[in-house]
Amino acid sequence: MSKFFGNKAFYRTVLAVTIPIAVQNAISNFISLLDNVMVGQVGTEQMSGVTIVNQLMFVYFLCIFGAVSGAGLFTAQFYGKGDNEGIRQTFRYKLYSALILCAAAVTLFLTCGENLMQLYLRAEGEGSDPALVMHYARQYLAVVMVGMLPTALTQVYSCTLRECGHATPPMVAGIVGVAVNGTLNYVLIFGKFGAPVMGVRGAALATVIARFTELALVMIWTHTHTKKCQFAKGLYRSFRISGGLARRIFFTGTPLLLNETFWAMAQAMLMQCYSAWGTDVVPALSISNAFFDTASVLYMSLGTAIAIVLGQTLGASGRDKAREDAPRLMTLSLLTGFATTAVLFACSFFFPNIYNTTPAVKELARSFMRIAALAAPINAFTNASYFTLRSGGKTVVTFLFDSVYAWMISVPLAFCLVHFTSLPITAVYLFCQLIDLSKCTIGLLLVRRGTWATTIVGDA
């Protein structure tokens, strides 16, 4: 049993990384949940419009996450090695990557945003009005794009701090940011305390202000605590990245960037496939996914912690130790998946009733929540597998494991079931969730081989 369960010191180390990330994500997701509920009180079309835009923003967010995470593999190992100059150069690589991706995404949304949003709308059938949904989606996108730059820069700082063992400051900044977001949502959406009633525009403006607040806090902490963050000393005196390190990050990190991008696009395509079934699907999935994101925060945060803990261990020349810890971390993740199942299923009985929407949407959301509850342990295990493989720099393998699997298996299955069968959408959603059982088997085999446990850093 010791192969699958660690001692108290092991769990203290893991929880020291996991809990700050989980607290930040839990509060962020809870506020997002409240945002979703508040917009849902305004109307079904408003909720659908915001959901569609947020699906596109989700792709952008994961592009940024993939870019900084690719360099972050090196940051964690440089930290384990005690190489501050290496950390500075990986930070600069993250910064350049984030700025380039932000500019590209803004250009895409300005030129093709409406066409992308149109993919999620179905003109025929009963339910919400597609024209009205598009109207609110345009309103939301026009404002929320302003927050794309601070979102990117916050990821650069926050990921670097976590990889260097400082998970609490990003957590605190995140808590303040989401508190600002939640408060302003209430004020601006509904026009409280003398503010005008802004609806979806108010939700977007609150999000933008919160993003700038979070960025300011995390930057101020980093540059006023240079004794703890020694990499911050002279960080901007030079913008140099050694050619050798840049090439290593590029060739190791690019598959991770592509993976996050294509995986997010696959999730967006899955939503598009589901939405083709009928107009009630998007608001129902919005309700289900909003609660799922909050309920699954522990195992999702544990995945991020797995990459950091194993990366630091590998950087300190602990290959054998990392291979010993991997099964214990995956077991812990699986247990958190079962806990998520219990929470999701219990809350499915009452949570959809909070929304100001039709009975059909509420019932569909209830079904989606129960299916997601059933699949939670599967998702927890594949999430742990992914971050374990990623910790040693096996980014090509993770690309095949994650995004290629999604595009070759999950998306075609959803498309075929929606367009070529008469199955109800709940059956389609169930099959698309359970297909990831095969991904669990692949992940288990890859982790057991142990070839992922490699050290990728040298001299900067």
Side-chain angles (χ1 to χ4, degrees):
M1 293 295 288
S2 61
K3 180 178 180 180
F4 301 103
F5 297 95
N7 55 28
K8 291 182 179 179
F10 170 77
Y11 289 116
R12 278 197 297 267
T13 300
V14 174
L15 292 177
V17 179
T18 304
I19 288 177
I21 298 173
V23 169
Q24 179 182 357
N25 290 342
I27 295 174
S28 178
N29 289 340
F30 182 70
I31 295 296
S32 296
L33 177 63
L34 292 179
D35 294 351
N36 187 273
V37 171
M38 283 188 276
V39 173
Q41 295 300 312
V42 181
T44 302
E45 285 84 5
Q46 289 88 335
M47 180 171 61
S48 295
V50 171
T51 299
I52 290 170
V53 174
N54 283 337
Q55 186 66 57
L56 300 178
M57 287 296 171
F58 174 70
V59 177
Y60 166 71
F61 178 83
L62 283 192
C63 286
I64 298 296
F65 178 73
V68 301
S69 295
L73 298 172
F74 291 80
T75 305
Q77 293 199 15
F78 276 131
Y79 178 76
K81 186 182 176 183
D83 186 343
N84 287 306
E85 179 57 27
I87 297 172
R88 291 186 194 99
Q89 294 192 33
T90 58
F91 180 96
R92 293 166 190 154
Y93 188 98
K94 295 174 188 177
L95 182 62
Y96 295 144
S97 301
L99 292 174
I100 292 170
L101 287 172
C102 181
V106 169
T107 302
L108 178 65
F109 288 144
L110 288 175
T111 56
C112 305
E114 189 160 333
N115 292 333
L116 293 172
M117 293 186 292
Q118 192 68 47
L119 294 173
Y120 295 89
L121 299 177
R122 176 176 169 170
E124 73 277 4
E126 298 180 355
S128 56
D129 181 356
L132 200 53
V133 172
M134 177 60 78
H135 170 71
Y136 290 121
R138 287 194 204 100
Q139 287 187 351
Y140 188 77
L141 179 62
V143 179
V144 83
M145 278 197 301
V146 179
M148 293 172 67
L149 177 60
T151 296
L153 297 179
T154 300
Q155 279 295 302
V156 173
Y157 273 89
S158 294
C159 288
T160 302
L161 289 174
R162 292 188 191 110
E163 290 149 3
C164 294
H166 305 299
T168 301
M171 177 192 74
V172 174
I175 290 172
V176 175
V178 296
V180 169
N181 190 16
T183 303
L184 291 180
N185 260 312
Y186 176 72
V187 173
L188 298 176
I189 291 174
F190 302 111
K192 302 296 183 180
F193 306 110
V197 178
M198 297 180 67
V200 297
R201 284 197 183 99
L205 181 58
T207 299
V208 170
I209 295 172
R211 294 291 177 263
F212 277 103
T213 301
E214 187 176 0
L215 173 62
L217 291 174
V218 79
M219 287 184 66
I220 290 170
W221 190 91
T222 300
H223 293 286
T224 56
H225 292 77
T226 52
K227 288 185 178 180
K228 293 181 178 180
C229 306
Q230 294 188 29
F231 72 88
K233 295 179 180 178
L235 182 60
Y236 292 113
R237 289 177 189 166
S238 168
F239 290 90
R240 169 185 172 271
I241 305 174
S242 72
L245 178 60
R247 283 191 295 271
R248 277 185 285 157
I249 296 175
F250 180 81
F251 287 114
T252 302
T254 297
L256 186 56
L257 166 61
L258 294 176
N259 176 72
E260 297 295 338
T261 303
F262 284 114
W263 184 84
M265 290 172 63
Q267 303 312 301
M269 184 56 67
L270 282 170
M271 172 75 88
Q272 194 280 328
C273 289
Y274 298 143
S275 68
W277 191 88
T279 54
D280 285 341
V281 173
V282 170
L285 278 173
S286 175
I287 294 170
S288 174
N289 290 344
F291 193 86
F292 175 79
D293 289 342
T294 301
S296 63
V297 68
L298 189 55
Y299 77 71
M300 295 299 292
S301 301
L302 182 58
T304 304
I306 286 172
I308 294 172
V309 169
L310 292 180
Q312 291 176 351
T313 301
L314 289 168
S317 301
R319 185 174 183 271
D320 292 339
K321 180 68 165 55
R323 291 183 64 177
E324 289 176 5
D325 288 345
R328 298 164 184 162
L329 291 166
M330 294 181 71
T331 300
L332 181 60
S333 185
L334 185 61
L335 293 174
T336 61
F338 283 112
T340 304
T341 296
V343 173
L344 266 172
F345 189 81
C347 294
S348 69
F349 289 95
F350 64 87
F351 180 72
N353 295 330
I354 298 173
Y355 287 79
N356 178 26
T357 187
T358 65
V361 170
K362 292 178 182 179
E363 191 57 39
L364 196 55
R366 208 180 322 276
S367 298
F368 286 150
M369 287 180 68
R370 290 169 183 171
I371 294 169
L374 178 65
I378 300 173
N379 293 329
F381 192 85
T382 57
N383 185 63
S385 301
Y386 167 77
F387 280 102
T388 299
L389 296 171
R390 208 186 80 175
S391 66
K394 297 298 183 181
T395 51
V396 174
V397 176
T398 59
F399 176 72
L400 296 172
F401 175 72
D402 212 30
S403 61
V404 171
Y405 181 94
W407 279 102
M408 295 296 293
I409 305 297
S410 301
V411 171
L413 177 63
F415 182 86
C416 291
L417 290 177
V418 168
H419 292 280
F420 300 115
T421 75
S422 57
L423 289 172
I425 189 61
T426 50
V428 173
Y429 191 64
L430 175 63
F431 287 140
C432 291
Q433 294 294 312
L434 294 183
I435 194 65
D436 279 354
L437 281 169
S438 60
K439 190 176 179 182
C440 288
T441 304
I442 296 169
L444 178 62
L445 293 174
L446 290 172
V447 172
R448 287 183 63 182
R449 287 181 60 187
T451 55
W452 54 269
T454 58
T455 302
I456 57 176
V457 297
D459 296 328

